[in-house]
Amino acid sequence: MQINWIAFTPGPALLGGIILGIASSLFILLHGRILGISGIIAGLLSPRFGDVHWRLILLLGMLSAPFWAAILFDFHTEVVIDADWFAIILAGVLVGFGANYGSGCTSGHGICGLSRLSPRSLVATFTFMAAGFFTVFVIRHVLGF
């Protein structure tokens, strides 16, 4: 395995991590809620009165962030997904199942839960990561895709 040094961008990755940390901290301090994306989207699928507006704004902000980064900072990325549509849809279904089964996603457990020193989030994040490592190993090295 080789590192693509042209695509290696520690600066934007660090800045993104700092922004995520600040956003999740402010969200829990100001709203008393965890900034877990699966929970936010699940709240849109089963809406309650007065609970939809902020969820839509947050989702719109996440979806429009690459557009604003390109306009404001001239930051352009090329996204290459080396998989067919079936694999992408299957992966999405499995991630959705795992987030539901684990009562949260990597943003809820990995960012917010770990920062609150939650033992449950530590176990969940370890499980997410181990399952990801195992899956990549099997697909790349055992099955040869």
Side-chain angles (χ1 to χ4, degrees):
M1 181 172 113
Q2 295 180 347
I3 295 176
N4 183 351
W5 291 105
I6 295 171
F8 181 64
T9 57
L14 178 63
L15 180 61
I18 291 170
I19 291 171
L20 277 173
I22 291 170
S24 62
S25 297
L26 286 174
F27 198 76
I28 199 165
L29 287 172
L30 297 176
H31 301 287
R33 296 176 179 261
I34 298 294
L35 189 62
I37 303 310
S38 63
I40 291 168
I41 292 175
L44 286 173
L45 298 176
S46 57
R48 288 189 223 140
F49 181 74
D51 199 37
V52 174
H53 184 70
W54 70 269
R55 292 174 191 271
L56 285 175
I57 290 174
L58 187 77
L59 187 60
L60 180 64
M62 287 176 45
L63 294 175
S64 67
F67 169 76
W68 291 111
I71 296 233
L72 297 174
F73 305 113
D74 197 34
F75 187 72
H76 303 278
T77 59
E78 180 182 337
V79 177
V80 178
I81 300 174
D82 190 23
D84 59 11
W85 282 105
F86 176 75
I88 293 170
I89 291 170
L90 178 63
V93 168
L94 290 173
V95 167
F97 173 77
N100 187 31
Y101 186 70
S103 299
C105 58
T106 52
S107 59
H109 284 297
I111 297 171
C112 300
L114 289 180
S115 66
R116 294 182 312 118
L117 302 176
S118 166
R120 182 171 162 235
S121 290
L122 179 63
V123 171
T125 304
F126 175 77
T127 304
F128 296 154
M129 298 301 291
F133 296 153
F134 177 76
T135 302
V136 169
F137 178 80
V138 170
I139 289 173
R140 300 281 180 188
H141 301 289
V142 176
L143 300 177
F145 289 109

